[in-house]
Structure formats: C-alpha cells, structure tokens
Amino acid sequence: QVQLVESGGGLVQPGGSMRLSCAASDLTYGYDYYTLAWFRQAPGKEREGLCLDSSLGIKYYADSVKGRFTVSRDNAKNTVYLQMNSLKPEDTAVYYCAAVPYSTTWPTKPSDYDYWGQGTQVTVSS
C-alpha cells in the first residue's frame, strides 16, 4: 500500500516562512498519476483542505491560503511540497498530505483521498 510521510514542521514566528515535504513510497502507479493535496486540522476544528496539485497539472488553493501558500511536486523524488509564507497564528495546526490516483472526478473532500500521511505540527507564535 502507498505510504506518505510528512516532514518540515515546527515553530515559526508570525510573518515567517516554512516548507513542508511529503515523500511517497510503495506506489501502485507512477507518481505523476496521483493527485496530491494538503489539509490541516486545528484542535476542535474540522479538517480543512488547503490546496491540491492534480495529475493534469492543475492547482487549486483555498481562499484562506491563496497568495501565501504554494504547492509543488517533484515526480522524480516522489515528493510534494508546501511552501508557506506570511504565516499567521491562525495557521497553527497539524498539516497532512494526501494522495489519490487520477480520476476525472475533482477531489475536494478528505473522503476523496485514499492515502494519508501521519501529520506534522506547525505552530505560528511569537
């Protein structure tokens, strides 16, 4: 089964930047066949979709992170990245990467994704 492992989280000051990575292994298909996404979940809140990078090269960003976060992928390394800039305290959460094989259905909900990482904590505080 596909395995995803996030890394790069930690403590950062408001206005700072941080880059998260998510490495995949045991793939059924080539890495470029997967749509990749980032979600986050703060205590007491539902899991929130942040962005996705589809197998067709189309990217989507939620309004809460548009203009501040950038998703990218390196298919040769089976890795997806989340570059986070201008971080705010309300960005504090556990961040998860997720993957699903190509489908003509646009994946937007957590239940649309087949594979998940274990999560990495991001804390934005002075």
Side-chain angles (χ1 to χ4, degrees):
Q1 58 185 8
V2 175
Q3 305 289 321
L4 303 177
V5 179
E6 301 99 337
S7 62
L11 177 65
V12 63
Q13 293 185 343
S17 297
M18 180 173 286
R19 191 191 198 196
L20 306 181
S21 299
C22 175
S25 61
D26 298 324
L27 299 175
T28 302
Y29 310 103
Y31 195 65
D32 58 336
Y33 280 56
Y34 293 86
T35 291
L36 307 165
W38 289 93
F39 292 78
R40 69 185 179 191
Q41 189 164 23
K45 297 184 178 180
E46 295 184 349
R47 192 162 295 189
E48 175 190 12
L50 304 177
C51 58
L52 63 83
D53 186 340
S54 80
S55 59
L56 299 177
I58 301 171
K59 299 178 181 179
Y60 168 81
Y61 296 92
D63 289 341
S64 61
V65 303
K66 192 176 300 181
R68 299 189 299 124
F69 290 12
T70 303
V71 62
S72 61
R73 67 199 292 164
D74 186 337
N75 291 327
K77 297 181 179 179
N78 292 348
T79 300
V80 62
Y81 305 95
L82 182 64
Q83 178 66 46
M84 304 183 293
N85 299 324
S86 302
L87 284 163
K88 308 172 182 178
E90 51 262 45
D91 294 319
T92 296
V94 176
Y95 283 68
Y96 300 89
C97 62
V100 63
Y102 169 78
S103 173
T104 56
T105 302
W106 189 256
T108 59
K109 307 180 299 295
S111 60
D112 293 327
Y113 289 84
D114 293 335
Y115 310 107
W116 291 83
Q118 82 288 351
T120 185
Q121 176 72 44
V122 173
T123 302
V124 185
S125 176
S126 59

